[in-house]
Amino acid sequence: MQTTQRSLFERIFKLNAHKTTPKTELVAGITTFFTMVYVVFVNPSILGDAGMDKQVVFATTCLVAGFGTIAMGLFSNLPIALAPAMGLNAFFAYAVVGKLGYSWEVGMGAIFWGSVGLFLISVFKVRYWVMSSIPVSLRVGIAAGIGFFVALIGFKNMDLIVPNPATLVTLGDLHQPSVLLGLLGFFIIVILAARNIYSGVLVSIVVVTSIAFFVDPNVSYHGFISLPPDLTPIVGKVDVWGALDTALFGIIFSFLLVTLFDSSGTLLGVTDKAGLSDEKGRFPHMREALFIDSFSGVVGAYLGTSAVGTYVESGAGVSVGGRTGLTAVVVGVLFLLTIFFSPLASLVPPYATAGALVYVGILMASSLIRVQWVDLTEATPAFITAAMMPFTCSITEGIAFGFISYVIMKLGTGRVREIHPSVWFVSALFVLKFAWVG
């Protein structure tokens, strides 16, 4: 029986060619899942502020993340997980609905059309053209910037850094259990990784959660199984046609750009770190991955979960050896099971996965070694891209400033011929975005 299963996995996921095993892929999938399961609790909280039913959003988030990630694993054979994008849901809830006053139905309709736009440029290979021609300095900057951004989230989740009105951020209270346990989890991971024990991330999450259960009153057991709610208060209520208002075109364009570069940047960064991409940033089944990613975004927006995108936390699974779509399938199945086991999943506190995020940051930032630091026309955009992601708390803004600075540096030094047409095109789009909607 075990031999039959191994043979089936080999035929579908080509495990031997990727020098991996079912056990490694299982551990990687579980690891990725626990580093991003927070989305099923954070997304309903944010969308709930826009007037949406939180319990329904919880269920639809699990469904979209589950089926989207399984599709990514089966059709692209990549260890990439999908889920509703955190940046977009906050923009939707607090800017489009909260500040501009649109209903959640219309606001979600705007996300839907932005996702349709991304789907179309994926189908007509414009997105592939853009991604495959990004210069090395920008690709490296994107990967490193995502690493810094992910590490920032990890430090925040363990309360090691906290807001400060005078200095923007400052050191948190080192006596807090979340800080101490978060740091414990981080060092468990890096020490085990240094000793070539690649299940360290999962071990860290289990150890920290177990300790937290006894020392943190916010970590408590609330049961084992819960049934999903009725989905009709959300599903089918998105106002697709009401969103086709000229006043919302700028918002739709912003949604398109954010989704394009958040997901594309993550795909480039994670596949590069997994050793799956070539020197031009291309990776196996790239077209299939872009198609699934963009189509899942359309479905997610229509179901009312906000647009779906690839998750940087996929790097956690890659860091423990995940190399194929079997990792993604494991993640997807766990998301679907979470619909029924949400009380158990909520047992894991944010700081239990924070160490994994910082570890991913270390791995992804290491790509900066490939930058030609002696050439400022290459070093400047790489640094700007990497630095602006954590400083603006936005992957998209970091990419935008990186592209624009690349063009400026090449123009200013008379090296215009080195600028690929796609870089001109993308830079112009970002300039229009900043001029039009900020």
Side-chain angles (χ1 to χ4, degrees), residues 135 137 371-372 375-383 406 410 415 418:
S137 59
V371 176
Q372 300 178 41
D375 183 353
L376 280 177
T377 67
E378 298 291 333
T380 299
F383 173 80
Y406 184 88
K410 295 298 182 181
R415 296 163 63 174
E418 296 180 20

Side-chain angles (χ1 to χ4, degrees), residues 139-170:
R139 290 207 314 271
V140 168
I142 289 170
I146 291 174
F148 291 137
F149 184 56
V150 169
L152 176 67
I153 295 173
F155 289 136
K156 175 183 175 295
N157 286 354
M158 68 173 73
D159 297 318
L160 184 62
I161 59 172
V162 295
N164 184 289
T167 60
L168 300 182
V169 294
T170 190

Side-chain angles (χ1 to χ4, degrees), residues 177-203:
S178 60
V179 177
L180 297 175
L181 289 175
L183 289 173
L184 171 65
F186 168 69
F187 282 109
I188 288 176
I189 294 170
V190 293
I191 290 173
L192 291 179
R195 298 172 66 90
N196 297 320
I197 301 174
Y198 297 107
S199 58
V201 174
L202 186 58
V203 171

Side-chain angles (χ1 to χ4, degrees), residues 100-123:
L100 299 179
Y102 289 98
S103 67
W104 73 260
E105 292 89 347
V106 171
M108 197 62 71
I111 296 181
F112 171 82
W113 287 116
S115 301
V116 169
L118 179 65
F119 176 73
L120 291 176
I121 67 174
S122 298
V123 169

Side-chain angles (χ1 to χ4, degrees), residues 4 22 35 41 60 109 112 129 133 140 179-180 192 194 253 265 267 272 285 291 307 351 358 368 404 408 426 434:
T4 303
T35 60
F41 305 104
T60 54
F112 171 82
W129 173 67
S133 57
V140 168
V179 177
L180 297 175
L192 291 179
F253 181 62
L267 278 168
D272 181 74
H285 303 292
F291 177 85
Y351 52 81
V358 180
L368 286 173
I404 294 171
I408 292 174
V426 172
F434 288 136

Side-chain angles (χ1 to χ4, degrees), residues 173-260:
D173 184 357
L174 298 181
H175 298 92
Q176 289 291 326
S178 60
V179 177
L180 297 175
L181 289 175
L183 289 173
L184 171 65
F186 168 69
F187 282 109
I188 288 176
I189 294 170
V190 293
I191 290 173
L192 291 179
R195 298 172 66 90
N196 297 320
I197 301 174
Y198 297 107
S199 58
V201 174
L202 186 58
V203 171
S204 168
I205 292 172
V206 172
V207 169
V208 172
T209 301
S210 299
I211 297 173
F213 180 75
F214 294 102
V215 303
D216 187 347
N218 295 317
V219 177
S220 56
Y221 178 73
H222 295 291
F224 201 74
I225 298 176
S226 63
L227 294 176
D230 177 20
L231 304 182
T232 54
I234 298 294
V235 177
K237 298 296 191 297
V238 175
D239 192 351
V240 172
W241 302 114
L244 291 178
D245 183 339
T246 54
L248 280 170
F249 284 175
I251 300 297
I252 293 174
F253 181 62
S254 295
F255 282 142
L256 169 60
L257 285 184
V258 170
T259 309
L260 168 63

